[in-house]
Amino acid sequence: MSLDLVLRQARIPGHGPETRDIGIRNGRVVAIETRIESEAPTRALEGRLAIAGFVDTHIHLDKSCIADRCQCSSGTLDEAIHAVAAAKRGFTEDDIYERGRRSLEKAIVQGTMHMRTHVEVDPRVGLKGFAAIQRLKQDYRWAIDLDICVFPQEGLLNDPGTEDLLVAACEAGADTLGGCPYTDSDPNGQIARIFALAQRFDLDIDFHLDFDLDPSWMHLDEVCRQTEAHRWGGRVAVGHVTKLSAIDPPRFAAIGRRLAQCGVAVTVLPATDLFLMGQGALHSVPRGIAPAHRLVDFGVTCSLATNNVLNPFTPFGDCSLVRIANLYANTIQAGSAKDLALCFDMVTSLPAKLMNLADYGIFVGNPADIVVLDGTDATSVVAELAQPLFGIKRGRQSFSRSAPVLYRP
Ligand SMILES: [Zn+2]
């Protein structure tokens, strides 16, 4: 068989427990067989897991790596929003590009190959963030596919000029439209405007939503209602929804069924949710993480994602989705083999579904996007934080990392 490369003895999600050889030609997977006969160069995976890369549905490249510019003391969401709003006034396009590049390169060597980055648009920062991330998208296409989601972090209806900028970004090629109703003077009004714009530009929607621990009210109801009214099921995601960690099981089940029925997906952002929720509590601090893996049982599409990196929202971050999956599993007490495997799905196949990626997965005919992990199955990758060893994007090697070596006496 005429091939460019053969990966030997890979374990591949969706292809059973036995190892398979993967044949690659012209940037695509052209064969998956027990044994491929070919003169092409080979790499021996020795039973390691090969996946089509991790999928990060929610990160903020434009405001990453600014922790050193912000003075924060209370660690609350309010403080983070105000600190970043102040820092944002000093952003230039090149500064955003440079910080975004640092985070993006980290994500690439952590095995992420698809990413939706939320980008702030408002009259203060204008389209600087959008322009910088558009450049990153082009410059790093060899390693990662970026989806740019523009959104009004500081409100829409209370911030004149913001909608015109969102429209300009959509006209200039934004991929997704985001929202943040909880910072708006008219949350339901913002939700309605975002749906109207999404319909006008035929874009998927990704809201920041219900980001506190008060279960007495939720914007989720309105998002579900508008999703049905616009027949936008399968094209709407909501991030955080930490309120879902503060409700009783019967109400949680009812919401799970409703989300599945109207096609609204959920992204949980464990690093940020853990850091910002429950600030001020001096003991028995709530974890504030929505139990996404329980929503999957109701048929909801769920992802675990990075969100913020090294800024007042989350002063940590290595852009590793293996770490985020492990952090989520540990915090939410998801320790069974089934739950750990589900956590793995929530950083691979489920976020691919959330982003409506048509050709995700290692299957014949798909792009040869492959990340090899130093583990043999999904459960152990999450439990043991198995690291990526190398990646191939559209048939070309995009990164490698060395496996640790012991030098025995
Ligand atoms: Zn976010």
Side-chain angles (χ1 to χ4, degrees):
M1 193 181 288
S2 163
L3 297 167
D4 300 329
L5 176 67
V6 179
L7 301 179
R8 296 230 179 265
Q9 293 190 304
R11 287 206 161 78
I12 316 168
H15 295 271
E18 305 304 320
T19 64
R20 298 275 186 272
D21 289 358
I22 305 170
I24 297 168
R25 186 171 61 219
N26 295 332
R28 293 200 169 263
V29 174
V30 294
I32 298 176
E33 294 167 18
T34 305
R35 171 77 194 178
I36 294 176
E37 297 301 334
S38 172
E39 300 292 303
T42 63
R43 290 192 70 160
L45 303 195
E46 296 169 333
R48 291 191 178 86
L49 192 63
I51 64 169
F54 293 107
V55 183
D56 202 334
T57 64
H58 190 132
I59 190 170
H60 296 261
L61 293 176
D62 60 338
K63 59 185 174 193
S64 69
C65 308
I66 57 167
D68 55 350
R69 300 180 194 182
C70 301
Q71 299 297 324
C72 292
S73 52
S74 70
T76 61
L77 173 60
D78 241 21
E79 182 187 58
I81 290 171
H82 286 107
V84 172
K88 200 162 61 174
R89 291 169 190 273
F91 286 3
T92 64
E93 186 183 317
D94 285 345
D95 166 52
I96 298 167
Y97 181 95
E98 181 52 29
R99 288 182 291 97
R101 182 190 65 75
R102 264 150 56 198
S103 297
L104 194 58
E105 289 186 1
K106 280 185 190 171
I108 291 166
V109 299
Q110 299 288 5
T112 299
M113 286 195 164
H114 291 273
M115 175 186 278
R116 172 176 289 171
T117 183
H118 292 251
V119 176
E120 296 189 19
V121 168
D122 60 50
R124 271 80 57 203
V125 77
L127 293 174
K128 279 183 269 189
F130 178 66
I133 304 300
Q134 271 195 314
R135 279 167 54 203
L136 277 177
K137 176 177 177 171
Q138 202 54 40
D139 292 352
Y140 283 85
R141 198 181 163 272
W142 53 270
I144 190 164
D145 292 304
L146 267 185
D147 171 300
I148 305 179
C149 175
V150 290
F151 86 111
Q153 170 74 73
E154 296 173 46
L156 181 61
L157 302 187
N158 53 299
D159 203 359
T162 300
E163 182 164 335
D164 289 344
L165 287 163
L166 283 175
V167 167
C170 292
E171 284 171 342
D175 302 290
T176 304
L177 197 54
C180 194
Y182 64 77
T183 56
D184 207 298
S185 53
D186 177 2
N188 285 356
Q190 178 182 129
I191 292 168
R193 287 308 304 151
I194 295 297
F195 270 94
L197 287 175
Q199 201 153 40
R200 175 174 159 197
F201 290 100
D202 191 23
L203 298 176
D204 291 1
I205 298 173
D206 201 328
F207 285 108
H208 289 74
L209 211 78
D210 290 341
F211 192 16
D212 60 49
L213 300 180
D214 175 4
S216 66
W217 59 273
M218 291 192 188
H219 291 141
L220 199 52
D221 309 326
E222 180 64 9
V223 169
C224 288
R225 203 182 66 76
Q226 292 272 3
T227 300
E228 287 182 326
H230 288 84
R231 298 175 189 279
W232 226 243
R235 304 192 66 179
V236 179
V238 294
H240 296 296
V241 278
T242 47
K243 286 173 184 289
L244 296 182
S245 71
I247 57 177
D248 58 39
R251 190 168 168 211
F252 183 82
I255 290 174
R257 284 190 289 269
R258 174 105 173 100
L259 288 167
Q261 179 197 8
C262 60
V264 172
V266 169
T267 297
V268 168
L269 306 157
T272 303
D273 297 346
L274 267 176
F275 183 68
L276 291 179
M277 295 298 98
Q279 287 277 3
L282 298 178
H283 61 90
S284 303
V285 182
R287 301 168 198 221
I289 292 183
H293 65 300
R294 299 278 173 253
L295 289 174
V296 175
D297 289 339
F298 294 104
V300 184
T301 302
C302 293
S303 69
L304 306 173
T306 301
N307 200 32
N308 281 291
V309 180
L310 304 174
N311 71 16
F313 294 88
T314 317
F316 319 111
D318 57 358
C319 303
S320 163
L321 284 175
V322 171
R323 186 180 67 82
I324 291 292
N326 177 282
L327 178 66
Y328 171 87
N330 201 160
T331 311
I332 207 120
Q333 301 167 320
S336 70
K338 170 187 171 276
D339 284 350
L340 288 169
L342 204 44
C343 292
F344 184 82
D345 293 344
M346 287 194 286
V347 289
T348 53
S349 55
L350 289 172
K353 188 177 170 201
L354 182 151
M355 288 178 64
N356 291 308
L357 302 178
D359 51 9
Y360 180 82
I362 301 177
F363 297 101
V364 170
N366 277 357
D369 291 355
I370 297 167
V371 170
V372 175
L373 300 167
D374 198 8
T376 54
D377 61 86
T379 300
S380 66
V381 165
V382 175
E384 301 174 37
L385 292 129
Q387 297 302 300
L389 293 178
F390 68 91
I392 293 170
K393 185 69 176 171
R394 286 184 272 272
R396 176 187 171 277
Q397 182 158 348
S398 54
F399 75 91
S400 68
R401 303 164 66 110
S402 304
V405 178
L406 287 177
Y407 296 96
R408 300 181 192 280

